[in-house]
Amino acid sequence: MLESAESLLLEHADLEAQLADPEVVADQVRYREVGRRYAALTPTVHAYQAWRTAGDDLDAVRELAAEDASFAEEIPALEASHASAQEKLRRLLIPRDPDDDRDVILEVKAGEGGEESALFAGDLLRMYLRYAEKRGWRTEVIDATESDLGGYKDVQVAVKAKGTPGPGEAPWARLKFEGGVHRVQRVPVTESQGRIHTSAAGVWVMPEAEEVDISIDPNDLRIDVYRSSGPGGQSVNTTDSAVRITHLPTGVVVSCQNEKSQLQNKESALRVLRARLHQIAMDEAAAAASDARKSQVRTVDRSERIRTYNFPENRISDHRTGYKAYNLDIFLGGELDPAVESLMAADEAARLAALGES
């Protein structure tokens, strides 16, 4: 533990020097990356310093107690402080997801259930937008395909933190567990008999990748343009502003039609494509080295049901951690933290167990 902490201290000092380097400051992409890493390491550095201070205080009192027995009374409290500081440092030294400090692109897609599924996808979108607002994050709808009754067949949203978030506070760190199938049980607005139906919507969360992270060869892209449909103003159905990009090596297809200009739609589609290619690279790396999977929570296949929203019982149930609460209305209002933190705790426990096995 001491060895890994000291290497992080050296890295932290080097990053601090880089933040004062005019060349790094002039390169905004590089400056942002350095600042993100510096902010991520700062709590560990502070915890290390607190641990060393607590250890020094304990050693000093033990020496004094050898000469004056009255100092021995202070030893239990100092031992407890030292142990607490060591445990905090140990937890901060648990290997972290390298993408934890990133922003995300979140996609919600209607699944089985027709119009009801699209309405539920709209409910999920509003839930995530409210959650982002409560956490002080910025959101931007990149592309959306609405359904006839006001739901969403497919919607993509960028979620960005303001400033440099601390460990575990960035969008990816808190939203990465949301990917999967979300099931809803309720009486649809289209149901005249009052029967409860079950439908589902899919959520896909990807860390947003910078251009420096994912290099895309223009020769690997097939770009098609077509006329957009649905809401959007005068450009809808009048100009070929919508863009569909196919990444030929992987077969990944991304389309965007929300913006009024073809160029803007192309840039938005490329953002989503970079995020998807980055996610594919992450999944391939995890599959190639299964022992590198640091979270049992994240090994759940994306097609697997992860959560159920039961309206008649006002119940929310997460099937990975066993989290259950009877405040579905509040949960859909953006109060996701209890469920999110249960998943983060499970992730941390899995990482600690992996450290114990290694």
Side-chain angles (χ1 to χ4, degrees):
M1 182 180 74
L2 181 61
E3 188 174 306
S4 61
E6 288 179 341
S7 67
L8 292 178
L9 258 67
L10 292 173
E11 183 184 357
H12 187 265
D14 178 61
L15 292 169
E16 189 170 34
Q18 289 186 53
L19 289 172
D21 186 336
E23 290 187 10
V24 175
V25 174
D27 183 345
Q28 285 302 299
V29 174
R30 174 65 180 154
Y31 185 77
R32 187 163 58 250
E33 287 293 320
V34 172
R36 183 184 293 160
R37 179 61 176 164
Y38 179 82
L41 291 183
T42 296
T44 305
V45 171
H46 290 166
Y48 174 83
Q49 292 168 342
W51 173 67
R52 288 298 298 266
T53 298
D56 291 343
D57 290 346
L58 179 58
D59 290 341
V61 169
R62 281 173 174 165
E63 288 182 13
L64 291 170
E67 300 176 2
D68 185 345
S70 64
F71 284 99
E73 297 176 1
E74 300 180 30
I75 291 178
L78 290 171
E79 286 178 335
S81 295
H82 186 245
S84 175
Q86 180 170 303
E87 177 61 19
K88 181 177 181 180
L89 176 60
R90 189 172 76 94
R91 289 183 175 278
L92 286 169
L93 288 173
I94 297 170
R96 297 177 62 223
D97 182 335
D99 287 316
D100 265 358
D101 302 318
R102 289 186 184 271
D103 298 323
V104 305
I105 291 178
L106 185 146
E107 182 172 2
V108 185
K109 295 175 72 74
E112 58 186 62
E115 195 64 52
E116 162 63 5
S117 177
L119 289 170
F120 179 52
D123 292 336
L124 290 177
L125 172 64
R126 284 183 288 276
M127 177 183 77
Y128 290 125
L129 292 178
R130 288 166 182 163
Y131 181 62
E133 182 181 6
K134 290 176 185 294
R135 297 205 66 85
W137 297 336
R138 297 190 303 271
T139 56
E140 170 196 357
V141 176
I142 297 175
D143 195 46
T145 303
E146 296 183 17
S147 68
D148 293 337
L149 295 183
Y152 287 92
K153 297 178 181 177
D154 187 4
V155 57
Q156 296 161 348
V157 182
V159 184
K160 294 181 172 291
K162 295 179 181 178
T164 305
E169 297 299 319
W172 174 254
R174 302 193 75 84
L175 290 175
K176 62 185 176 183
F177 305 111
E178 293 300 303
V181 175
H182 296 240
R183 186 177 69 166
V184 62
Q185 296 172 324
R186 66 183 176 186
V187 178
V189 295
T190 55
E191 170 58 53
S192 59
Q193 302 297 320
R195 294 173 297 186
I196 296 173
H197 285 224
T198 298
S199 60
V203 176
W204 193 12
V205 188
M206 303 165 283
E208 181 154 16
E210 305 281 356
E211 289 185 46
V212 294
D213 300 318
I214 297 292
S215 177
I216 300 176
D217 186 343
N219 295 321
D220 289 340
L221 303 179
R222 184 177 74 234
I223 301 177
D224 302 307
V225 295
Y226 57 98
R227 292 191 177 182
S228 55
S229 59
Q234 296 180 346
S235 64
V236 174
N237 293 321
T238 59
T239 60
D240 292 334
S241 60
V243 173
R244 181 185 301 109
I245 299 178
T246 304
H247 186 249
L248 300 175
T250 61
V252 173
V253 179
V254 178
S255 59
C256 194
Q257 66 172 12
N258 259 31
E259 304 294 343
K260 292 185 178 181
S261 81
Q262 188 181 118
L263 180 61
Q264 288 174 312
N265 281 323
K266 180 182 176 183
E267 288 302 313
S268 293
L270 283 172
R271 283 177 66 187
V272 177
L273 178 60
R274 278 195 296 271
R276 288 191 178 176
L277 293 179
H278 181 68
Q279 183 68 52
I280 288 172
M282 289 169 55
D283 292 343
E284 288 177 348
S290 58
D291 60 333
R293 288 179 182 261
K294 300 181 179 68
S295 167
Q296 294 302 311
V297 177
R298 291 181 60 195
T299 60
V300 177
D301 186 86
R302 293 182 189 280
S303 64
E304 191 169 327
R305 182 189 69 208
I306 64 167
R307 193 177 291 152
T308 295
Y309 304 72
N310 185 300
F311 275 71
E313 297 179 14
N314 198 34
R315 185 186 75 237
I316 179 78
S317 304
D318 196 289
H319 306 294
R320 297 159 295 178
T321 63
Y323 174 84
K324 186 180 292 185
Y326 291 85
N327 60 349
L328 176 56
D329 48 345
I330 295 174
F331 193 88
L332 287 172
E335 296 291 345
L336 275 66
D337 272 338
V340 168
E341 284 164 9
S342 74
L343 290 157
M344 293 176 74
D347 179 54
E348 183 179 278
R351 291 172 188 265
L352 279 170
L355 278 180
E357 294 169 2
S358 61

